[in-house]
Amino acid sequence: RQNRPVIRTLSLIAALLLVIASAHPAVAYELLIGTGPSGSFSYHSGKLLCRIFTKQDQEMTCSLSESADPIDNLTNVQGGSLDLALVDSLLLEEAAAGRGPFQYLDISYDQIRVVSPLYEVPLTLLVRNDAELSTMDQLPGKRINIGPFGSPQNHLFKLFMQTQGWTEDMFPVFAELPSSMSQDTFAFRQGDVQILVHRGVHPDSVLEKLMKDTQASLIGFADQGMVDLVTSTPSLSRQEIRKATYPSLSATLSTFGTTMTLVASADSDDDTIRSLITALEQNSRSLQTMHSSLADFGVEKDAEEWFGSIKTHRAVVE
């Protein structure tokens, strides 16, 4: 009888510990996703993915690792310090082939697996009225800014130049101004350059304001050079910008571009990948409504054909 209060107290403590444990379950694992810098659409998409993944699996925590260098994200997935990353399709193809920015890197990207394509990233030209540009053949002889050296739009435009047989000296101004501090848009407004090479998702509020303020036109790469480049480069695709995207667009704009892609390490647990793909499939409609560039999202697309030696995780769920 004297032991009853002690037993009762121990029972209460055990019950309390059980309540605390159930209220704060142990976290099974953490997911770390590599994206572009804060403010980029890649970063915004990473936040959407984290929301979807943690909703699917409440024992998962998800956080973002932002980087201005997309090669860093790819290399960190290869090395295992990132679970997932948003990586451009052209970068993936070049990593697999060891060309472009990877030709001097002594790294084999054989541990990268494609989880799903996410959204398209078109390449376009913003053209001032005084440029009097109606066909792509008229581009040489114009003052142009192609973006900073090493940037995706710079690299992609130079690939297009190769198909056309163009060289830098065919342009009176061949600038590589960045968007930081509005250097590129300031030069465009002042008329120092007549054409801006633009790569990004649409609609773009900065681009829309620039078109409105300067009466500039948005032009796509709809010519045989674009067709040849897309045909010879599996990670590129023909893309469209819908008429309703900007008030100044009188028709759907045809061009080409890359695809932002969710990749993972080949060492990732199959159950985890299966859970992520299931989450994407079950939330595809809500993801499509979050931004117009995600409107065509679908995980059923086969991405393996893009990258040669880089494989897909689709086999995990088949």
mmCIF file of all heavy atoms in Angstrom, residues 275-292:
data_model
loop_
_atom_site.group_PDB
_atom_site.id
_atom_site.type_symbol
_atom_site.label_atom_id
_atom_site.label_comp_id
_atom_site.label_asym_id
_atom_site.label_seq_id
_atom_site.Cartn_x
_atom_site.Cartn_y
_atom_site.Cartn_z
ATOM 1 N N SER A 275 8.351 8.176 -53.232
ATOM 2 C CA SER A 275 7.460 9.086 -52.508
ATOM 3 C C SER A 275 7.422 10.464 -53.163
ATOM 4 O O SER A 275 6.352 11.075 -53.295
ATOM 5 C CB SER A 275 7.917 9.205 -51.052
ATOM 6 O OG SER A 275 7.174 10.176 -50.353
ATOM 7 N N LEU A 276 8.582 10.958 -53.617
ATOM 8 C CA LEU A 276 8.643 12.271 -54.248
ATOM 9 C C LEU A 276 7.901 12.283 -55.579
ATOM 10 O O LEU A 276 7.155 13.229 -55.885
ATOM 11 C CB LEU A 276 10.100 12.683 -54.453
ATOM 12 C CG LEU A 276 10.978 12.808 -53.205
ATOM 13 C CD1 LEU A 276 12.374 13.280 -53.585
ATOM 14 C CD2 LEU A 276 10.350 13.754 -52.194
ATOM 15 N N ILE A 277 8.103 11.253 -56.391
ATOM 16 C CA ILE A 277 7.428 11.192 -57.688
ATOM 17 C C ILE A 277 5.925 11.065 -57.496
ATOM 18 O O ILE A 277 5.133 11.692 -58.208
ATOM 19 C CB ILE A 277 7.988 10.024 -58.526
ATOM 20 C CG1 ILE A 277 9.442 10.321 -58.911
ATOM 21 C CG2 ILE A 277 7.143 9.810 -59.775
ATOM 22 C CD1 ILE A 277 10.125 9.217 -59.673
ATOM 23 N N THR A 278 5.512 10.272 -56.516
ATOM 24 C CA THR A 278 4.083 10.147 -56.215
ATOM 25 C C THR A 278 3.498 11.489 -55.791
ATOM 26 O O THR A 278 2.404 11.874 -56.212
ATOM 27 C CB THR A 278 3.860 9.114 -55.100
ATOM 28 O OG1 THR A 278 4.343 7.840 -55.533
ATOM 29 C CG2 THR A 278 2.380 8.993 -54.766
ATOM 30 N N ALA A 279 4.251 12.232 -54.989
ATOM 31 C CA ALA A 279 3.795 13.557 -54.544
ATOM 32 C C ALA A 279 3.635 14.495 -55.732
ATOM 33 O O ALA A 279 2.660 15.263 -55.818
ATOM 34 C CB ALA A 279 4.773 14.131 -53.536
ATOM 35 N N LEU A 280 4.575 14.457 -56.674
ATOM 36 C CA LEU A 280 4.480 15.298 -57.862
ATOM 37 C C LEU A 280 3.280 14.913 -58.719
ATOM 38 O O LEU A 280 2.571 15.779 -59.241
ATOM 39 C CB LEU A 280 5.764 15.186 -58.691
ATOM 40 C CG LEU A 280 7.015 15.834 -58.085
ATOM 41 C CD1 LEU A 280 8.242 15.496 -58.919
ATOM 42 C CD2 LEU A 280 6.845 17.333 -57.963
ATOM 43 N N GLU A 281 3.060 13.618 -58.868
ATOM 44 C CA GLU A 281 1.916 13.152 -59.659
ATOM 45 C C GLU A 281 0.587 13.564 -59.032
ATOM 46 O O GLU A 281 -0.320 14.037 -59.712
ATOM 47 C CB GLU A 281 1.978 11.637 -59.817
ATOM 48 C CG GLU A 281 3.101 11.166 -60.729
ATOM 49 C CD GLU A 281 3.239 9.661 -60.760
ATOM 50 O OE1 GLU A 281 2.853 9.007 -59.756
ATOM 51 O OE2 GLU A 281 3.736 9.127 -61.771
ATOM 52 N N GLN A 282 0.485 13.410 -57.733
ATOM 53 C CA GLN A 282 -0.777 13.708 -57.050
ATOM 54 C C GLN A 282 -1.052 15.204 -56.940
ATOM 55 O O GLN A 282 -2.203 15.608 -56.752
ATOM 56 C CB GLN A 282 -0.779 13.064 -55.663
ATOM 57 C CG GLN A 282 -0.795 11.544 -55.696
ATOM 58 C CD GLN A 282 -0.789 10.929 -54.306
ATOM 59 O OE1 GLN A 282 -0.598 11.614 -53.299
ATOM 60 N NE2 GLN A 282 -0.981 9.613 -54.239
ATOM 61 N N ASN A 283 -0.006 16.016 -57.055
ATOM 62 C CA ASN A 283 -0.177 17.465 -56.916
ATOM 63 C C ASN A 283 0.102 18.214 -58.216
ATOM 64 O O ASN A 283 0.307 19.427 -58.200
ATOM 65 C CB ASN A 283 0.752 17.996 -55.818
ATOM 66 C CG ASN A 283 0.359 17.546 -54.430
ATOM 67 O OD1 ASN A 283 -0.468 18.150 -53.766
ATOM 68 N ND2 ASN A 283 0.956 16.439 -53.995
ATOM 69 N N SER A 284 0.096 17.486 -59.324
ATOM 70 C CA SER A 284 0.451 18.113 -60.600
ATOM 71 C C SER A 284 -0.522 19.224 -60.978
ATOM 72 O O SER A 284 -0.109 20.283 -61.467
ATOM 73 C CB SER A 284 0.509 17.065 -61.712
ATOM 74 O OG SER A 284 -0.744 16.415 -61.862
ATOM 75 N N ARG A 285 -1.809 19.037 -60.719
ATOM 76 C CA ARG A 285 -2.783 20.074 -61.105
ATOM 77 C C ARG A 285 -2.594 21.343 -60.295
ATOM 78 O O ARG A 285 -2.659 22.455 -60.842
ATOM 79 C CB ARG A 285 -4.212 19.548 -60.942
ATOM 80 C CG ARG A 285 -4.593 18.517 -61.999
ATOM 81 C CD ARG A 285 -6.091 18.286 -62.044
ATOM 82 N NE ARG A 285 -6.468 17.384 -63.123
ATOM 83 C CZ ARG A 285 -7.710 17.059 -63.426
ATOM 84 N NH1 ARG A 285 -8.721 17.563 -62.708
ATOM 85 N NH2 ARG A 285 -7.966 16.244 -64.422
ATOM 86 N N SER A 286 -2.365 21.216 -59.002
ATOM 87 C CA SER A 286 -2.167 22.407 -58.187
ATOM 88 C C SER A 286 -0.862 23.100 -58.562
ATOM 89 O O SER A 286 -0.765 24.326 -58.556
ATOM 90 C CB SER A 286 -2.159 22.046 -56.697
ATOM 91 O OG SER A 286 -1.117 21.139 -56.395
ATOM 92 N N LEU A 287 0.165 22.323 -58.935
ATOM 93 C CA LEU A 287 1.433 22.906 -59.352
ATOM 94 C C LEU A 287 1.257 23.682 -60.661
ATOM 95 O O LEU A 287 1.838 24.758 -60.838
ATOM 96 C CB LEU A 287 2.481 21.800 -59.526
ATOM 97 C CG LEU A 287 3.952 22.221 -59.622
ATOM 98 C CD1 LEU A 287 4.392 22.944 -58.364
ATOM 99 C CD2 LEU A 287 4.840 21.004 -59.856
ATOM 100 N N GLN A 288 0.428 23.157 -61.545
ATOM 101 C CA GLN A 288 0.186 23.813 -62.832
ATOM 102 C C GLN A 288 -0.480 25.179 -62.677
ATOM 103 O O GLN A 288 -0.311 26.049 -63.534
ATOM 104 C CB GLN A 288 -0.687 22.916 -63.715
ATOM 105 C CG GLN A 288 0.018 21.670 -64.217
ATOM 106 C CD GLN A 288 -0.941 20.639 -64.779
ATOM 107 O OE1 GLN A 288 -2.147 20.859 -64.827
ATOM 108 N NE2 GLN A 288 -0.416 19.510 -65.216
ATOM 109 N N THR A 289 -1.222 25.381 -61.616
ATOM 110 C CA THR A 289 -1.932 26.648 -61.422
ATOM 111 C C THR A 289 -1.103 27.696 -60.682
ATOM 112 O O THR A 289 -1.537 28.843 -60.557
ATOM 113 C CB THR A 289 -3.242 26.418 -60.641
ATOM 114 O OG1 THR A 289 -2.923 25.911 -59.332
ATOM 115 C CG2 THR A 289 -4.135 25.422 -61.352
ATOM 116 N N MET A 290 0.073 27.323 -60.199
ATOM 117 C CA MET A 290 0.865 28.247 -59.388
ATOM 118 C C MET A 290 1.611 29.285 -60.216
ATOM 119 O O MET A 290 1.963 30.344 -59.724
ATOM 120 C CB MET A 290 1.840 27.456 -58.512
ATOM 121 C CG MET A 290 1.137 26.683 -57.411
ATOM 122 S SD MET A 290 2.276 25.668 -56.439
ATOM 123 C CE MET A 290 1.158 24.943 -55.236
ATOM 124 N N HIS A 291 1.882 28.976 -61.484
ATOM 125 C CA HIS A 291 2.521 29.941 -62.381
ATOM 126 C C HIS A 291 2.314 29.451 -63.811
ATOM 127 O O HIS A 291 2.300 28.241 -64.061
ATOM 128 C CB HIS A 291 4.019 30.072 -62.073
ATOM 129 C CG HIS A 291 4.677 31.232 -62.752
ATOM 130 N ND1 HIS A 291 5.161 31.159 -64.038
ATOM 131 C CD2 HIS A 291 4.929 32.495 -62.325
ATOM 132 C CE1 HIS A 291 5.697 32.319 -64.375
ATOM 133 N NE2 HIS A 291 5.567 33.147 -63.347
ATOM 134 N N SER A 292 2.168 30.381 -64.745
ATOM 135 C CA SER A 292 1.873 29.989 -66.125
ATOM 136 C C SER A 292 2.991 29.135 -66.732
ATOM 137 O O SER A 292 2.722 28.300 -67.601
ATOM 138 C CB SER A 292 1.640 31.232 -66.984
ATOM 139 O OG SER A 292 2.775 32.082 -66.956
#
